[in-house]
């Protein structure tokens, strides 16, 4: 079974949705640098990435978000012309090329070459490998995806985005296996959570695995109502949701650049589980920072799904 095509950009066609789904989340410095880059002022991005340093999760988040903007590829090339030896310019150009390939505007081989060139300049940086993983997660063979995930982990074992990508790909194995509680994606997520530091947001990965597996089962002809299908109310599912919520209560990492992604997955799970009070607490923490996944699962309007769940949980439906 070939991997599915990348999802289309969400929120671009409607002003309201575009305001709701901002990939930058709550990173004000990133939002400012992105606005400057849209005007061709790449020096703001240079300063941002220099300040980010080797905070690999934050660097991956910032470069990925910048790369999604339609003019980034052109401005990154201008930056590279001015500073040919800039590792940051090379990495940004590489991930912008990946985005172009995923959007059908460039050949995958160009993206692979750009990421390879960037990786050679900065051997310790997992970000070029993250770019390759983003690409091959959709167009590559599974053995290539696994190898790239290992390359990222070799440089930073707890890489948040890479674990999410690997979870999504593993969830697509054996779509005809149904609601198998022993599916390999659950084992991968549990192993990753158990071997991460106590305060690592990878503790939420088992919840992500549940949502990604639901996406696959629904697309294969399963129940398309995430609340009514019962996917989140089995014994193992409840144990996973409780453990993740308890971790959040004890270790909430609001300093993590992708924390709102975890909060959205956890709020979605708690709402589908029927735990309205716990979901409400999570919606309060999410505030305006909704994310398309998992509210779009399966093939739903994510803005409407998020708003309906939030209003229900907060008692304002």
């Amino acid at each position: 079974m070939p991997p599915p095509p990348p999802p289309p950009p969400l929120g671009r066609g409607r002003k309201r949705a575009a305001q709701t789904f901002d990939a930058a989340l709550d990173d004000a410095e990133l939002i400012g640098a992105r606005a400057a880059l849209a005007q061709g002022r790449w020096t703001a991005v240079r300063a941002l990435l220099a300040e980010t340093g080797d905070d690999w999760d934050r660097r991956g988040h910032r470069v990925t978000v910048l790369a999604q903007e339609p003019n980034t590829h052109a401005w990154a090339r201008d930056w590279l012309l001015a500073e040919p030896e800039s590792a940051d310019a090379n990495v940004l150009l590489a991930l912008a090329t990946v985005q172009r390939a995923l959007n059908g505007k460039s050949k995958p081989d160009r993206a692979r070459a750009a990421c390879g060139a960037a990786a050679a300049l900065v051997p310790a940086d997992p970000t070029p490998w993250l770019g390759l993983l983003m690409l091959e997660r959709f167009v590559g063979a599974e053995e290539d995806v696994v190898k790239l995930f290992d390359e990222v982990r070799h440089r930073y074992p707890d890489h948040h985005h890479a674990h999410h990508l690997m979870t999504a790909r593993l969830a697509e194995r054996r779509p005809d296996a149904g609601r198998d509680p022993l599916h390999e994606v659950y084992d991968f997520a549990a192993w990753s959570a158990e071997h991460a530091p106590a305060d690592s947001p990878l503790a939420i990965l088992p919840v992500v695995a549940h949502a990604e597996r639901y996406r696959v089962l629904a697309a294969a002809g399963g129940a398309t109502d995430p609340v009514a299908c019962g996917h989140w109310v089995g014994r193992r599912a409840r144990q996973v949701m409780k453990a993740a919520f308890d971790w959040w209560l004890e270790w909430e990492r609001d300093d993590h650049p992708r924390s709102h992604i975890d909060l959205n997955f956890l709020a979605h799970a708690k709402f589908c589980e029927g735990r309205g009070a716990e979901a409400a607490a999570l919606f309060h923490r999410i505030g305006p920072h909704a994310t398309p996944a998992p509210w779009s699962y399966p093939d739903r309007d994510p803005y409407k799904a998020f708003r309906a769940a939030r209003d229900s949980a907060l008692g304002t439906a």
Side-chain angles (χ1 to χ4, degrees):
M1 177 181 177
L10 287 161
R12 291 295 178 190
R14 293 171 295 178
K15 182 178 180 181
R16 193 175 195 182
Q19 293 173 343
T20 302
F21 300 127
D22 185 349
L25 300 172
D26 60 345
D27 191 332
E29 293 176 330
L30 171 59
I31 292 169
R34 182 180 60 186
L37 185 63
Q39 299 173 1
R41 292 186 283 120
W42 49 261
T43 53
V45 173
R46 179 178 60 186
L48 177 76
L49 296 181
E51 180 270 331
T52 307
D54 60 359
D55 183 345
W56 298 128
D57 271 338
R58 193 171 305 278
R59 178 174 172 82
H61 171 64
R62 287 175 164 176
V63 173
T64 299
V65 171
L66 291 167
Q68 291 173 2
E69 294 303 300
N71 294 322
T72 294
H73 188 269
W75 293 128
R77 291 180 64 183
D78 282 357
W79 179 5
L80 205 55
L81 286 173
E83 299 180 358
E85 302 304 317
S86 169
D88 288 344
N90 275 277
V91 171
L92 181 59
L93 179 63
L95 267 73
T97 309
V98 167
Q99 285 297 323
R100 285 176 57 82
L102 291 174
N103 292 333
K105 296 179 179 180
S106 181
K107 299 293 185 182
D109 281 347
R110 290 186 179 179
R112 295 182 182 110
C115 288
L121 281 176
V122 279
D125 186 355
T127 312
W129 298 98
L130 174 67
L132 285 170
L133 182 59
M134 291 167 60
L135 177 70
E136 304 298 356
R137 177 260 179 277
F138 289 110
V139 305
E142 185 167 303
E143 57 265 29
D144 295 327
V145 175
V146 172
K147 289 177 182 177
L148 290 169
F149 176 69
D150 287 343
E151 291 284 359
V152 175
R153 285 197 76 250
H154 174 70
R155 290 160 176 81
Y156 183 50
D158 301 322
H159 201 289
H160 189 270
H161 195 167
H163 278 82
H164 275 237
L165 291 168
M166 194 66 201
T167 299
R169 182 61 187 259
L170 288 176
E172 291 158 7
R173 286 182 177 175
R174 301 189 296 119
D176 57 346
R179 213 179 293 170
D180 179 3
L182 301 180
H183 191 276
E184 45 267 51
V185 72
Y186 301 135
D187 289 339
F188 168 78
W191 184 91
S192 299
E194 289 167 5
H195 286 79
D199 65 343
S200 170
L202 292 182
I204 306 295
L205 201 64
V207 174
V208 176
H210 244 76
E212 296 294 356
R213 186 59 181 166
Y214 167 71
R215 169 181 59 83
V216 174
L217 294 177
T224 56
D225 185 333
V227 176
C229 70
H231 186 73
W232 279 268
V233 296
R235 184 177 65 85
R236 179 167 180 171
R238 288 190 182 277
Q239 290 174 344
V240 164
M241 306 314 151
K242 182 181 186 304
F245 188 77
D246 289 348
W247 177 89
W248 176 69
L249 290 175
E250 181 176 3
W251 293 100
E252 181 184 7
R253 288 288 307 277
D254 58 1
D255 62 323
H256 192 275
R258 288 166 49 90
S259 63
H260 283 94
I261 294 173
D262 289 329
L263 288 175
N264 275 269
F265 272 97
L266 189 52
H268 178 266
K270 282 297 178 181
F271 177 74
C272 292
E273 187 188 1
R275 308 284 292 192
E278 294 173 353
L282 291 157
F283 280 117
H284 279 300
R285 295 297 294 148
I286 290 169
H289 303 296
T291 58
W295 303 106
S296 60
Y297 299 166
D299 195 27
R300 306 169 79 203
D301 181 314
Y303 178 76
K304 289 182 179 178
F306 171 81
R307 185 176 58 182
R310 181 195 60 195
D311 291 350
S312 177
L314 298 179
T316 58

